[in-house]
Every structure is written in structure tokens, then in C-alpha cells.
Amino acid sequence: MAHEPDGQALISPARGTRPANRRELIVRAAADLFYRKGYATVGMGEVARAVAIGPSALYRHFRGKQDLLATVVGNALEAVDVTLAAASSSDVGVRLAAFALEHRGIGVLWRREARHLSADNRAQLRLVTDRIVTRLIDLIRERRPALGVAEADLLARSALAVGISASFHSLSLPEPGFNNLLGELITATIDAPIALADPMTSHLDTVAAVLTGSRRETILVEAAKLFARNGFAGVSMDDIGATAGITGPSVYNHFPAKTDILTAAMFRGDEWLRMGMNRAFAQANDPCDALRRLLRSYAEFVFENPHLIQLLISESVHLPDAVRDRGRAAQRSYIAEWVHLAGQVHPTWDLSSARIRVQAAQTIVNEISLTPQFRTDPAVESAVVVIGARLLAIAQD
């Protein structure tokens, strides 16, 4: 589960000045605004004001907002690539942690905002992400020569997930405490025991489609998938109607507005997570067993409903303020249950450290469930539970 990022706006340069690094300042300001407010809600005029220039001056540097977003995300990914190119198999965890904390917005920008880019821009950025993953795979296999490519790939993406987990919360620790903890978690992920089938075998292709029982349910399920894939702002009522087998206007017979569909989908996800949590608590023998069962319950839900997790991560910015606040409170409350359990199992952990560990474990599950090639291997869900348990320092059965 993800907590919406908090933060403070950058300080604007004095109006009328012409700093030599104006383009860099524009990119930094846009990155901050896209991170805190969401790409769809930020206008070019707001970016221009953040660097004390007029909109026309902004367009001398960038063709439009999408061009600016492509630059923001591309620069961030290139910086990750440079960091890993300089890393060794022995210090990769430390280097990746330091980078992640210096550039805390990168995870949100990539996971939430990159979907707004053109197909060509996304394809170019995927080349960079593939290069990043390949570099990390090579470092992991140098560190652990017995690993196969599939295992190293999963560990590489999991390690990156631990790094970007800091994007989804505003927690801090006195330094070097945060750097050290995040580095330890990344290293623990890289060194986690793992075994996957090689080559990966598909099980999802054999699953028969199940028809939903009502038109309203069909709309809700299909709209949630569309919102997750294309972003709330990129989906129209006509799109929703087409996937549900009806006309766009007919959707209004079941939901008053598009935001009502998003609200229903997001709160359904939260309710299902809480049902799984309550079941885990009811079946547990002690706090450690409860935390173990809670981790498994979370992984089961996420792998079965990756589109709902994508909504929880990225689309709450489009909800009305009161609904968004309620959703954030529900997310924080759910995470607090994990942190409370972790504190019972490990009384020496402070609350911030425990939550950083919880967020890292959850982000691994989220990121791997949203990676298409891993959703086709039934062993992956178990593998991420093992990695998550390692980060939470709990033994597996």
C-alpha cells in the first residue's frame, strides 16, 4: 500500500533574473510539482511561476508539458543508470540507497506519471530501465554466481523497489541512519534466498474468464483496469462504456460521475485488504505469526488485483479533497497495523524504522505484481513473501 507523498515546494529564483542553469531549474521545479501534485493537475503556468518566468519563456525550453515530463523522468532514470554503472557488487546497496534518498521522487514519477507520456517516449524510457535492470542483474550475479538470470532479475527489480519505497512516504531518520537502514534493506533483498522455475512457466493463460454478476460490477471492474493502465485523466466515460459493453451515457445509470467509479474501486481495495488483515489476525498464534500471515495475505491480494494496487498508488490525486483525505487516513491506518505488529515482534525498533521496513516490503510486492513477466510465474508470489519476511526480520514456516 502506498502513502501519498508529502513535501515542500522549491524556493523560486528572484523574478527578472536569468540564471545560467534555468533549464535545470525548470526541470527540478517540474519534478517537485509533478511529484507532490500529480502531472494531470499541474499546468505549465504553475511550473513557470515556480521559477519566476513567464509561460512563453518556458516554451523556449520545452515544447509542452509532456515534453517536460519526458525530460524529468528521463533525467531521473539516466541518473540511476550512472549510479549503477559506478557501483560494484560489494557497494551496490549503499550506492543505490544514497541515490534513492537524494532523489526521493523518482519512484512516484516513474510509477504514477510516466503513463502520461507518448508511446514513443515510454518506449525510449523502457530502454533505459532495461539497461538499469541489466546492470543490476550483472552486479547481483557477480555477487552470487550460482543464481540464474530469472532469479537475479527478480532480485534486481525487488532491490530497485526497496530504493523507490522512500518515494511513497515522507519519513526520515537522523543521518546516516536512514541511508544505512535503506542500504541494509537493499542488500538484504539482493542476498535473499530465492528459487524460481527456469524458464518461467505461465499459469495465467489457462485461467478461464469469470463473468461478473451485474452491469454495475462489470463497469466497476473494467473501469478500474482502465484507470490503472491509462490513468484516470486518460479514460473517458465512453471508454468505460465500451469495455463494459454499453454506451458511455449508459454508465451514468449506475454511477453519477467518473470520480464515483474511482472512489468505489479504491475503497473496495481498502476493504478487501482489511478483510485479509482481520483473517490473518484471527488465525495467528502470536504477533510474529500474525505479521507473517499479514504479509502473505497482502501478497495474495496484490497479485490477484494489481490494477487496484495501481489505483491506490497513483490515482487518489483525482478524488475530491474529503474523499482523498478519507482514503489516505484508511491507508495510514492499515500501514499502522503492520507497524504495530512489527513493534511487538521487534521491541527495539523505533516507529519510523519499522514503518520504513514495512513500506519497503509492501513496495516490493506492489512493483513485482505490476511487472508483466513476473505475474506469469506462480513461484514469484512466494518468492516476494520470502524477501518481504527478510526485510521484516521474521522467519518463514
Side-chain angles (χ1 to χ4, degrees), residues 43-76:
M44 290 291 270
E46 188 172 3
V47 177
R49 288 192 297 274
V51 290
I53 61 175
S56 61
L58 189 61
Y59 284 100
R60 287 199 290 270
H61 295 276
F62 298 96
R63 293 188 302 275
K65 192 168 73 161
Q66 194 174 80
D67 182 34
L68 179 53
L69 176 63
T71 302
V72 166
V73 178
N75 285 2

PDB file of all heavy atoms in Angstrom, residues 43-76:
ATOM      1  N   GLY A  43      -0.222  22.729 -14.275  1.00  0.00           N
ATOM      2  CA  GLY A  43      -0.167  23.402 -15.560  1.00  0.00           C
ATOM      3  C   GLY A  43       1.200  24.010 -15.812  1.00  0.00           C
ATOM      4  O   GLY A  43       1.984  24.217 -14.885  1.00  0.00           O
ATOM      5  N   MET A  44       1.479  24.316 -17.075  1.00  0.00           N
ATOM      6  CA  MET A  44       2.767  24.922 -17.418  1.00  0.00           C
ATOM      7  C   MET A  44       2.920  26.279 -16.743  1.00  0.00           C
ATOM      8  O   MET A  44       4.032  26.693 -16.394  1.00  0.00           O
ATOM      9  CB  MET A  44       2.897  25.050 -18.933  1.00  0.00           C
ATOM     10  CG  MET A  44       3.072  23.717 -19.651  1.00  0.00           C
ATOM     11  SD  MET A  44       4.681  22.941 -19.315  1.00  0.00           S
ATOM     12  CE  MET A  44       5.678  23.652 -20.646  1.00  0.00           C
ATOM     13  N   GLY A  45       1.813  27.006 -16.558  1.00  0.00           N
ATOM     14  CA  GLY A  45       1.890  28.285 -15.876  1.00  0.00           C
ATOM     15  C   GLY A  45       2.386  28.140 -14.450  1.00  0.00           C
ATOM     16  O   GLY A  45       3.161  28.977 -13.961  1.00  0.00           O
ATOM     17  N   GLU A  46       1.975  27.070 -13.775  1.00  0.00           N
ATOM     18  CA  GLU A  46       2.424  26.831 -12.402  1.00  0.00           C
ATOM     19  C   GLU A  46       3.918  26.531 -12.363  1.00  0.00           C
ATOM     20  O   GLU A  46       4.634  26.985 -11.474  1.00  0.00           O
ATOM     21  CB  GLU A  46       1.627  25.683 -11.786  1.00  0.00           C
ATOM     22  CG  GLU A  46       1.891  25.488 -10.304  1.00  0.00           C
ATOM     23  CD  GLU A  46       0.952  24.473  -9.682  1.00  0.00           C
ATOM     24  OE1 GLU A  46       0.137  23.871 -10.420  1.00  0.00           O
ATOM     25  OE2 GLU A  46       1.039  24.275  -8.454  1.00  0.00           O
ATOM     26  N   VAL A  47       4.390  25.756 -13.340  1.00  0.00           N
ATOM     27  CA  VAL A  47       5.826  25.478 -13.419  1.00  0.00           C
ATOM     28  C   VAL A  47       6.592  26.773 -13.671  1.00  0.00           C
ATOM     29  O   VAL A  47       7.629  27.037 -13.052  1.00  0.00           O
ATOM     30  CB  VAL A  47       6.131  24.458 -14.538  1.00  0.00           C
ATOM     31  CG1 VAL A  47       7.639  24.233 -14.665  1.00  0.00           C
ATOM     32  CG2 VAL A  47       5.423  23.131 -14.275  1.00  0.00           C
ATOM     33  N   ALA A  48       6.077  27.601 -14.585  1.00  0.00           N
ATOM     34  CA  ALA A  48       6.735  28.872 -14.894  1.00  0.00           C
ATOM     35  C   ALA A  48       6.825  29.758 -13.652  1.00  0.00           C
ATOM     36  O   ALA A  48       7.873  30.366 -13.389  1.00  0.00           O
ATOM     37  CB  ALA A  48       5.978  29.595 -16.014  1.00  0.00           C
ATOM     38  N   ARG A  49       5.735  29.819 -12.889  1.00  0.00           N
ATOM     39  CA  ARG A  49       5.763  30.633 -11.673  1.00  0.00           C
ATOM     40  C   ARG A  49       6.769  30.120 -10.657  1.00  0.00           C
ATOM     41  O   ARG A  49       7.370  30.906  -9.912  1.00  0.00           O
ATOM     42  CB  ARG A  49       4.359  30.675 -11.043  1.00  0.00           C
ATOM     43  CG  ARG A  49       3.361  31.526 -11.815  1.00  0.00           C
ATOM     44  CD  ARG A  49       2.100  31.764 -11.009  1.00  0.00           C
ATOM     45  NE  ARG A  49       1.389  30.519 -10.718  1.00  0.00           N
ATOM     46  CZ  ARG A  49       0.506  29.953 -11.533  1.00  0.00           C
ATOM     47  NH1 ARG A  49       0.238  30.517 -12.712  1.00  0.00           N
ATOM     48  NH2 ARG A  49      -0.114  28.846 -11.197  1.00  0.00           N
ATOM     49  N   ALA A  50       6.964  28.816 -10.628  1.00  0.00           N
ATOM     50  CA  ALA A  50       7.901  28.230  -9.667  1.00  0.00           C
ATOM     51  C   ALA A  50       9.335  28.664  -9.919  1.00  0.00           C
ATOM     52  O   ALA A  50      10.166  28.644  -9.001  1.00  0.00           O
ATOM     53  CB  ALA A  50       7.803  26.702  -9.698  1.00  0.00           C
ATOM     54  N   VAL A  51       9.630  29.043 -11.169  1.00  0.00           N
ATOM     55  CA  VAL A  51      10.988  29.509 -11.488  1.00  0.00           C
ATOM     56  C   VAL A  51      10.981  30.984 -11.883  1.00  0.00           C
ATOM     57  O   VAL A  51      11.943  31.486 -12.465  1.00  0.00           O
ATOM     58  CB  VAL A  51      11.628  28.649 -12.601  1.00  0.00           C
ATOM     59  CG1 VAL A  51      11.956  27.262 -12.088  1.00  0.00           C
ATOM     60  CG2 VAL A  51      10.721  28.553 -13.830  1.00  0.00           C
ATOM     61  N   ALA A  52       9.874  31.660 -11.562  1.00  0.00           N
ATOM     62  CA  ALA A  52       9.767  33.109 -11.739  1.00  0.00           C
ATOM     63  C   ALA A  52      10.000  33.561 -13.172  1.00  0.00           C
ATOM     64  O   ALA A  52      10.723  34.523 -13.440  1.00  0.00           O
ATOM     65  CB  ALA A  52      10.736  33.830 -10.798  1.00  0.00           C
ATOM     66  N   ILE A  53       9.375  32.844 -14.123  1.00  0.00           N
ATOM     67  CA  ILE A  53       9.434  33.264 -15.516  1.00  0.00           C
ATOM     68  C   ILE A  53       8.014  33.234 -16.083  1.00  0.00           C
ATOM     69  O   ILE A  53       7.099  32.677 -15.485  1.00  0.00           O
ATOM     70  CB  ILE A  53      10.345  32.352 -16.375  1.00  0.00           C
ATOM     71  CG1 ILE A  53       9.829  30.911 -16.376  1.00  0.00           C
ATOM     72  CG2 ILE A  53      11.785  32.429 -15.889  1.00  0.00           C
ATOM     73  CD1 ILE A  53      10.608  29.985 -17.296  1.00  0.00           C
ATOM     74  N   GLY A  54       7.843  33.815 -17.241  1.00  0.00           N
ATOM     75  CA  GLY A  54       6.557  33.769 -17.916  1.00  0.00           C
ATOM     76  C   GLY A  54       6.411  32.475 -18.695  1.00  0.00           C
ATOM     77  O   GLY A  54       7.406  31.848 -19.076  1.00  0.00           O
ATOM     78  N   PRO A  55       5.175  32.049 -18.974  1.00  0.00           N
ATOM     79  CA  PRO A  55       4.952  30.819 -19.734  1.00  0.00           C
ATOM     80  C   PRO A  55       5.664  30.807 -21.084  1.00  0.00           C
ATOM     81  O   PRO A  55       6.157  29.765 -21.526  1.00  0.00           O
ATOM     82  CB  PRO A  55       3.428  30.782 -19.900  1.00  0.00           C
ATOM     83  CG  PRO A  55       2.913  31.554 -18.732  1.00  0.00           C
ATOM     84  CD  PRO A  55       3.914  32.656 -18.519  1.00  0.00           C
ATOM     85  N   SER A  56       5.727  31.964 -21.763  1.00  0.00           N
ATOM     86  CA  SER A  56       6.382  31.992 -23.074  1.00  0.00           C
ATOM     87  C   SER A  56       7.855  31.642 -22.973  1.00  0.00           C
ATOM     88  O   SER A  56       8.416  30.967 -23.851  1.00  0.00           O
ATOM     89  CB  SER A  56       6.210  33.379 -23.715  1.00  0.00           C
ATOM     90  OG  SER A  56       6.803  34.383 -22.896  1.00  0.00           O
ATOM     91  N   ALA A  57       8.519  32.063 -21.889  1.00  0.00           N
ATOM     92  CA  ALA A  57       9.928  31.715 -21.679  1.00  0.00           C
ATOM     93  C   ALA A  57      10.083  30.231 -21.450  1.00  0.00           C
ATOM     94  O   ALA A  57      11.075  29.611 -21.871  1.00  0.00           O
ATOM     95  CB  ALA A  57      10.493  32.506 -20.499  1.00  0.00           C
ATOM     96  N   LEU A  58       9.097  29.631 -20.787  1.00  0.00           N
ATOM     97  CA  LEU A  58       9.147  28.189 -20.527  1.00  0.00           C
ATOM     98  C   LEU A  58       9.108  27.407 -21.834  1.00  0.00           C
ATOM     99  O   LEU A  58       9.829  26.416 -22.012  1.00  0.00           O
ATOM    100  CB  LEU A  58       7.964  27.807 -19.631  1.00  0.00           C
ATOM    101  CG  LEU A  58       7.934  26.391 -19.060  1.00  0.00           C
ATOM    102  CD1 LEU A  58       9.139  26.130 -18.189  1.00  0.00           C
ATOM    103  CD2 LEU A  58       6.647  26.180 -18.263  1.00  0.00           C
ATOM    104  N   TYR A  59       8.289  27.887 -22.783  1.00  0.00           N
ATOM    105  CA  TYR A  59       8.154  27.177 -24.058  1.00  0.00           C
ATOM    106  C   TYR A  59       9.389  27.336 -24.949  1.00  0.00           C
ATOM    107  O   TYR A  59       9.501  26.647 -25.962  1.00  0.00           O
ATOM    108  CB  TYR A  59       6.892  27.639 -24.796  1.00  0.00           C
ATOM    109  CG  TYR A  59       5.625  27.052 -24.210  1.00  0.00           C
ATOM    110  CD1 TYR A  59       4.827  27.803 -23.347  1.00  0.00           C
ATOM    111  CD2 TYR A  59       5.245  25.750 -24.499  1.00  0.00           C
ATOM    112  CE1 TYR A  59       3.670  27.262 -22.792  1.00  0.00           C
ATOM    113  CE2 TYR A  59       4.090  25.205 -23.955  1.00  0.00           C
ATOM    114  CZ  TYR A  59       3.312  25.959 -23.102  1.00  0.00           C
ATOM    115  OH  TYR A  59       2.180  25.416 -22.561  1.00  0.00           O
ATOM    116  N   ARG A  60      10.290  28.201 -24.599  1.00  0.00           N
ATOM    117  CA  ARG A  60      11.558  28.262 -25.335  1.00  0.00           C
ATOM    118  C   ARG A  60      12.448  27.073 -24.989  1.00  0.00           C
ATOM    119  O   ARG A  60      13.369  26.744 -25.733  1.00  0.00           O
ATOM    120  CB  ARG A  60      12.290  29.580 -25.032  1.00  0.00           C
ATOM    121  CG  ARG A  60      11.668  30.804 -25.682  1.00  0.00           C
ATOM    122  CD  ARG A  60      12.646  31.967 -25.757  1.00  0.00           C
ATOM    123  NE  ARG A  60      12.923  32.535 -24.442  1.00  0.00           N
ATOM    124  CZ  ARG A  60      12.224  33.516 -23.900  1.00  0.00           C
ATOM    125  NH1 ARG A  60      11.200  34.046 -24.555  1.00  0.00           N
ATOM    126  NH2 ARG A  60      12.543  33.991 -22.711  1.00  0.00           N
ATOM    127  N   HIS A  61      12.179  26.457 -23.843  1.00  0.00           N
ATOM    128  CA  HIS A  61      12.975  25.312 -23.405  1.00  0.00           C
ATOM    129  C   HIS A  61      12.281  23.971 -23.668  1.00  0.00           C
ATOM    130  O   HIS A  61      12.952  22.964 -23.904  1.00  0.00           O
ATOM    131  CB  HIS A  61      13.275  25.431 -21.905  1.00  0.00           C
ATOM    132  CG  HIS A  61      14.132  26.599 -21.542  1.00  0.00           C
ATOM    133  ND1 HIS A  61      15.499  26.565 -21.607  1.00  0.00           N
ATOM    134  CD2 HIS A  61      13.784  27.849 -21.120  1.00  0.00           C
ATOM    135  CE1 HIS A  61      15.989  27.741 -21.218  1.00  0.00           C
ATOM    136  NE2 HIS A  61      14.971  28.534 -20.926  1.00  0.00           N
ATOM    137  N   PHE A  62      10.944  23.972 -23.631  1.00  0.00           N
ATOM    138  CA  PHE A  62      10.198  22.720 -23.785  1.00  0.00           C
ATOM    139  C   PHE A  62       8.977  22.963 -24.673  1.00  0.00           C
ATOM    140  O   PHE A  62       8.296  23.979 -24.543  1.00  0.00           O
ATOM    141  CB  PHE A  62       9.749  22.187 -22.419  1.00  0.00           C
ATOM    142  CG  PHE A  62      10.904  21.866 -21.501  1.00  0.00           C
ATOM    143  CD1 PHE A  62      11.334  22.799 -20.565  1.00  0.00           C
ATOM    144  CD2 PHE A  62      11.575  20.659 -21.603  1.00  0.00           C
ATOM    145  CE1 PHE A  62      12.401  22.523 -19.734  1.00  0.00           C
ATOM    146  CE2 PHE A  62      12.644  20.379 -20.773  1.00  0.00           C
ATOM    147  CZ  PHE A  62      13.062  21.306 -19.839  1.00  0.00           C
ATOM    148  N   ARG A  63       8.687  21.989 -25.533  1.00  0.00           N
ATOM    149  CA  ARG A  63       7.577  22.131 -26.470  1.00  0.00           C
ATOM    150  C   ARG A  63       6.223  22.146 -25.756  1.00  0.00           C
ATOM    151  O   ARG A  63       5.267  22.737 -26.238  1.00  0.00           O
ATOM    152  CB  ARG A  63       7.595  20.988 -27.487  1.00  0.00           C
ATOM    153  CG  ARG A  63       8.786  21.009 -28.425  1.00  0.00           C
ATOM    154  CD  ARG A  63       8.626  19.969 -29.525  1.00  0.00           C
ATOM    155  NE  ARG A  63       8.477  18.628 -28.989  1.00  0.00           N
ATOM    156  CZ  ARG A  63       9.501  17.841 -28.665  1.00  0.00           C
ATOM    157  NH1 ARG A  63      10.747  18.286 -28.818  1.00  0.00           N
ATOM    158  NH2 ARG A  63       9.289  16.632 -28.196  1.00  0.00           N
ATOM    159  N   GLY A  64       6.130  21.452 -24.643  1.00  0.00           N
ATOM    160  CA  GLY A  64       4.872  21.365 -23.909  1.00  0.00           C
ATOM    161  C   GLY A  64       5.071  20.581 -22.630  1.00  0.00           C
ATOM    162  O   GLY A  64       6.182  20.160 -22.282  1.00  0.00           O
ATOM    163  N   LYS A  65       3.987  20.344 -21.919  1.00  0.00           N
ATOM    164  CA  LYS A  65       4.078  19.689 -20.618  1.00  0.00           C
ATOM    165  C   LYS A  65       4.554  18.245 -20.756  1.00  0.00           C
ATOM    166  O   LYS A  65       5.317  17.750 -19.920  1.00  0.00           O
ATOM    167  CB  LYS A  65       2.726  19.751 -19.904  1.00  0.00           C
ATOM    168  CG  LYS A  65       2.817  19.346 -18.428  1.00  0.00           C
ATOM    169  CD  LYS A  65       1.558  19.667 -17.646  1.00  0.00           C
ATOM    170  CE  LYS A  65       0.437  18.722 -17.998  1.00  0.00           C
ATOM    171  NZ  LYS A  65      -0.639  18.712 -16.961  1.00  0.00           N
ATOM    172  N   GLN A  66       4.114  17.572 -21.801  1.00  0.00           N
ATOM    173  CA  GLN A  66       4.534  16.182 -21.975  1.00  0.00           C
ATOM    174  C   GLN A  66       6.034  16.093 -22.263  1.00  0.00           C
ATOM    175  O   GLN A  66       6.719  15.192 -21.758  1.00  0.00           O
ATOM    176  CB  GLN A  66       3.742  15.522 -23.105  1.00  0.00           C
ATOM    177  CG  GLN A  66       3.878  14.002 -23.131  1.00  0.00           C
ATOM    178  CD  GLN A  66       2.970  13.367 -24.155  1.00  0.00           C
ATOM    179  OE1 GLN A  66       3.290  13.348 -25.349  1.00  0.00           O
ATOM    180  NE2 GLN A  66       1.835  12.859 -23.710  1.00  0.00           N
ATOM    181  N   ASP A  67       6.535  17.026 -23.034  1.00  0.00           N
ATOM    182  CA  ASP A  67       7.980  17.089 -23.298  1.00  0.00           C
ATOM    183  C   ASP A  67       8.743  17.333 -21.999  1.00  0.00           C
ATOM    184  O   ASP A  67       9.798  16.736 -21.747  1.00  0.00           O
ATOM    185  CB  ASP A  67       8.271  18.200 -24.306  1.00  0.00           C
ATOM    186  CG  ASP A  67       9.746  18.304 -24.671  1.00  0.00           C
ATOM    187  OD1 ASP A  67      10.423  17.261 -24.717  1.00  0.00           O
ATOM    188  OD2 ASP A  67      10.210  19.432 -24.897  1.00  0.00           O
ATOM    189  N   LEU A  68       8.192  18.185 -21.154  1.00  0.00           N
ATOM    190  CA  LEU A  68       8.819  18.469 -19.863  1.00  0.00           C
ATOM    191  C   LEU A  68       8.802  17.226 -18.976  1.00  0.00           C
ATOM    192  O   LEU A  68       9.814  16.897 -18.327  1.00  0.00           O
ATOM    193  CB  LEU A  68       8.084  19.623 -19.181  1.00  0.00           C
ATOM    194  CG  LEU A  68       8.585  20.066 -17.804  1.00  0.00           C
ATOM    195  CD1 LEU A  68      10.081  20.359 -17.815  1.00  0.00           C
ATOM    196  CD2 LEU A  68       7.804  21.289 -17.336  1.00  0.00           C
ATOM    197  N   LEU A  69       7.687  16.500 -18.939  1.00  0.00           N
ATOM    198  CA  LEU A  69       7.609  15.267 -18.146  1.00  0.00           C
ATOM    199  C   LEU A  69       8.601  14.228 -18.639  1.00  0.00           C
ATOM    200  O   LEU A  69       9.280  13.562 -17.843  1.00  0.00           O
ATOM    201  CB  LEU A  69       6.194  14.693 -18.187  1.00  0.00           C
ATOM    202  CG  LEU A  69       5.991  13.353 -17.475  1.00  0.00           C
ATOM    203  CD1 LEU A  69       6.268  13.478 -15.982  1.00  0.00           C
ATOM    204  CD2 LEU A  69       4.575  12.820 -17.718  1.00  0.00           C
ATOM    205  N   ALA A  70       8.708  14.095 -19.969  1.00  0.00           N
ATOM    206  CA  ALA A  70       9.661  13.129 -20.526  1.00  0.00           C
ATOM    207  C   ALA A  70      11.081  13.459 -20.096  1.00  0.00           C
ATOM    208  O   ALA A  70      11.876  12.569 -19.785  1.00  0.00           O
ATOM    209  CB  ALA A  70       9.556  13.121 -22.051  1.00  0.00           C
ATOM    210  N   THR A  71      11.410  14.745 -20.048  1.00  0.00           N
ATOM    211  CA  THR A  71      12.742  15.170 -19.610  1.00  0.00           C
ATOM    212  C   THR A  71      12.948  14.879 -18.127  1.00  0.00           C
ATOM    213  O   THR A  71      13.999  14.379 -17.715  1.00  0.00           O
ATOM    214  CB  THR A  71      12.948  16.670 -19.884  1.00  0.00           C
ATOM    215  OG1 THR A  71      12.773  16.927 -21.274  1.00  0.00           O
ATOM    216  CG2 THR A  71      14.346  17.104 -19.464  1.00  0.00           C
ATOM    217  N   VAL A  72      11.938  15.181 -17.317  1.00  0.00           N
ATOM    218  CA  VAL A  72      12.025  14.939 -15.870  1.00  0.00           C
ATOM    219  C   VAL A  72      12.270  13.456 -15.581  1.00  0.00           C
ATOM    220  O   VAL A  72      13.194  13.089 -14.850  1.00  0.00           O
ATOM    221  CB  VAL A  72      10.731  15.413 -15.173  1.00  0.00           C
ATOM    222  CG1 VAL A  72      10.653  14.858 -13.753  1.00  0.00           C
ATOM    223  CG2 VAL A  72      10.664  16.928 -15.144  1.00  0.00           C
ATOM    224  N   VAL A  73      11.448  12.596 -16.159  1.00  0.00           N
ATOM    225  CA  VAL A  73      11.574  11.164 -15.900  1.00  0.00           C
ATOM    226  C   VAL A  73      12.849  10.611 -16.532  1.00  0.00           C
ATOM    227  O   VAL A  73      13.576   9.814 -15.922  1.00  0.00           O
ATOM    228  CB  VAL A  73      10.337  10.399 -16.418  1.00  0.00           C
ATOM    229  CG1 VAL A  73      10.496   8.903 -16.177  1.00  0.00           C
ATOM    230  CG2 VAL A  73       9.071  10.902 -15.735  1.00  0.00           C
ATOM    231  N   GLY A  74      13.149  11.052 -17.761  1.00  0.00           N
ATOM    232  CA  GLY A  74      14.361  10.575 -18.440  1.00  0.00           C
ATOM    233  C   GLY A  74      15.624  10.935 -17.691  1.00  0.00           C
ATOM    234  O   GLY A  74      16.528  10.101 -17.542  1.00  0.00           O
ATOM    235  N   ASN A  75      15.711  12.167 -17.191  1.00  0.00           N
ATOM    236  CA  ASN A  75      16.886  12.581 -16.422  1.00  0.00           C
ATOM    237  C   ASN A  75      17.050  11.738 -15.160  1.00  0.00           C
ATOM    238  O   ASN A  75      18.162  11.346 -14.793  1.00  0.00           O
ATOM    239  CB  ASN A  75      16.777  14.054 -16.040  1.00  0.00           C
ATOM    240  CG  ASN A  75      17.043  14.988 -17.205  1.00  0.00           C
ATOM    241  OD1 ASN A  75      17.280  14.550 -18.330  1.00  0.00           O
ATOM    242  ND2 ASN A  75      16.983  16.281 -16.949  1.00  0.00           N
ATOM    243  N   ALA A  76      15.923  11.468 -14.493  1.00  0.00           N
ATOM    244  CA  ALA A  76      15.985  10.675 -13.266  1.00  0.00           C
ATOM    245  C   ALA A  76      16.475   9.258 -13.549  1.00  0.00           C
ATOM    246  O   ALA A  76      17.336   8.719 -12.829  1.00  0.00           O
ATOM    247  CB  ALA A  76      14.612  10.638 -12.602  1.00  0.00           C
TER     248      ALA A  76
END
